[in-house]
Amino acid sequence: MTAKVFGKTFLIAALLAAGSAQAQEVVRLGNLKFAHYGAVSYIKEIAPKCGIKVEERVFAKGLDVMQAIIAGEIDVGTTASEAAISGRAGNAPIYVVAGFAKGGARLVAGQGSNIKTVKDLKGKKVGVTRGGIQEVLLMAELQKAGLSADAAPGKDVQLVFLAYADLNQALLGKNIDAMMQSEPQSSQAINKGFGTEMLKPYDTPIGEPVRTMVMTEKFYTTKRPLAEKFMRCFVQATSTFIKDPALAEKYVRDVVFKGQITSDDFRDAMDNAQYTYDITPEHIQITTDIMYKTGVGRMAKPPAAKEWVKTDLLEEAKKSLGVK
């Protein structure tokens, strides 16, 4: 009897210990709903094979991800670079640990507006999401064309700040003349016939914007083995999407967007974006400098990229998986 009791006690203790260990293997992920964020979302599908569990929360914009990080609600988040830069400037305890997509933005004019070039935007209303990388790209393009811009009337271009989900409707309703939009929404506007492409805004010093994966300093330093597992899982998910475009399309269309975008929308969107792993301190520094110069993010003290872009976890993961 004593042996049986001891055996049961040992079994219960072992199960509790296993449950506790499993609970420690959870990674809380903050993500956004865009076509080029799909590989990050796919991490949760393959996470069990990586020996972890990923709990994904989808936010409306990158600044919301930053707020969740500051509140201690997530461990890893995906944002465009400007949200990460603004967050770090505001003392958010984060490191940039990888890039996961590049491109994914387009300047779109309303159908029939006769707006062909950036200079044609003088005297027009241009919609953009406040604080998004699209705002940085728009301001860089306007500055390059010698145009001033503000939300208040009186400048060359009047900015209209709207959520990503509302920009297309505003262009369709002719409440704005043009928009700097993300993917797949910009492709949808073109495919549905109420928008025409002006340009892909990659001809400024920023080049193609790289979306950033950020990790809390606490997660990076105190949960290193789990952080390593997560990064290997990220590399595997991204590699799968790069090698198998059909799977990537099916997952993004069916799971992420639940059938709300067409095959043409997805393919056109990914013609203007690319899944990737890499990011450099130089790219983040250039973006930081342009944000500061154009006033996006209103940073009193811009952060130095070399102090918070840490790609050692990524390099270790890529090496262990034989990914270049």
Side-chain angles (χ1 to χ4, degrees), residues 14-321:
L15 289 172
L16 288 173
S20 176
Q22 187 175 16
Q24 292 175 350
E25 295 294 293
V26 174
V27 179
R28 301 170 301 168
L29 170 66
N31 201 11
L32 304 182
K33 186 179 177 181
F34 297 112
H36 43 301
Y37 286 60
V40 175
S41 186
Y42 190 65
I43 294 172
K44 67 179 182 293
E45 309 296 341
I46 64 171
K49 295 180 181 179
C50 302
I52 61 176
K53 179 180 179 182
V54 172
E55 296 177 347
E56 181 189 39
R57 287 179 58 190
V58 178
F59 294 85
K61 55 185 182 296
L63 293 177
D64 295 338
V65 174
M66 284 298 106
Q67 291 300 317
I69 284 176
I70 292 169
E73 297 171 356
I74 58 176
D75 307 304
V76 182
T78 60
T79 73
S81 55
E82 95 298 326
I85 293 165
S86 293
R88 183 72 182 188
N91 297 317
I94 56 170
Y95 294 134
V96 169
V97 294
F100 63 89
K102 59 183 180 180
R106 200 181 322 235
L107 187 56
V108 179
Q111 184 68 36
S113 65
N114 292 319
I115 298 173
K116 305 296 183 184
T117 70
V118 176
K119 289 186 177 181
D120 293 336
L121 293 174
K122 186 171 183 178
K124 306 296 185 183
K125 293 182 179 180
V126 181
V128 68
T129 299
R130 184 187 290 276
I133 189 63
Q134 290 77 16
E135 184 187 2
V136 183
L137 295 170
L138 175 61
M139 295 303 292
E141 290 288 353
L142 293 175
Q143 187 177 69
K144 182 181 175 183
L147 298 177
S148 61
D150 199 281
K155 300 293 185 180
D156 294 326
V157 176
Q158 184 174 351
L159 302 179
V160 179
F161 292 112
L162 296 167
Y164 294 108
D166 297 329
L167 284 169
N168 281 22
Q169 192 62 37
L171 190 68
L172 175 62
K174 300 188 183 300
N175 297 313
I176 55 176
D177 301 296
M179 65 179 181
M180 185 70 86
Q181 177 63 295
S182 190
E183 294 289 3
Q185 290 88 344
S186 63
S187 290
Q188 283 182 309
I190 294 166
N191 290 338
K192 290 182 178 180
F194 61 86
T196 59
E197 178 182 310
M198 291 176 59
L199 59 82
K200 297 178 180 70
Y202 311 143
D203 58 349
T204 73
I206 294 174
E208 287 189 90
V210 180
R211 304 312 196 270
T212 56
M213 176 173 285
V214 298
M215 187 175 285
T216 68
E217 292 180 6
K218 181 178 180 180
F219 189 76
Y220 176 91
T221 55
T222 67
K223 295 188 176 182
R224 188 76 178 189
L226 182 53
E228 290 172 350
K229 287 182 181 180
F230 177 84
M231 192 58 65
R232 284 194 295 271
C233 210
F234 158 68
V235 172
Q236 288 179 50
T238 303
S239 178
T240 298
F241 267 37
I242 292 172
K243 293 176 181 177
D244 193 345
L247 172 65
E249 177 179 341
K250 180 174 176 56
Y251 184 77
V252 171
R253 289 182 60 207
D254 293 352
V255 178
V256 177
F257 283 93
K258 303 186 186 306
Q260 295 172 338
I261 64 173
T262 67
S263 180
D264 285 344
D265 290 338
F266 175 81
R267 294 181 184 187
D268 289 346
M270 293 312 299
D271 279 345
N272 185 29
Q274 183 180 340
Y275 299 116
T276 188
Y277 318 93
D278 301 312
I279 200 160
T280 65
E282 290 77 15
H283 179 78
I284 294 299
Q285 190 60 58
I286 288 170
T287 307
T288 302
D289 293 343
I290 290 179
M291 286 177 63
Y292 186 65
K293 188 174 181 180
T294 58
V296 178
R298 296 175 176 81
M299 297 178 291
K301 185 180 180 182
K306 64 182 180 180
E307 296 177 359
W308 65 291
V309 178
K310 297 182 179 293
T311 58
D312 54 314
L313 284 172
L314 174 66
E315 296 308 321
E316 290 170 9
K318 289 173 66 179
K319 184 177 180 180
S320 70
L321 295 167

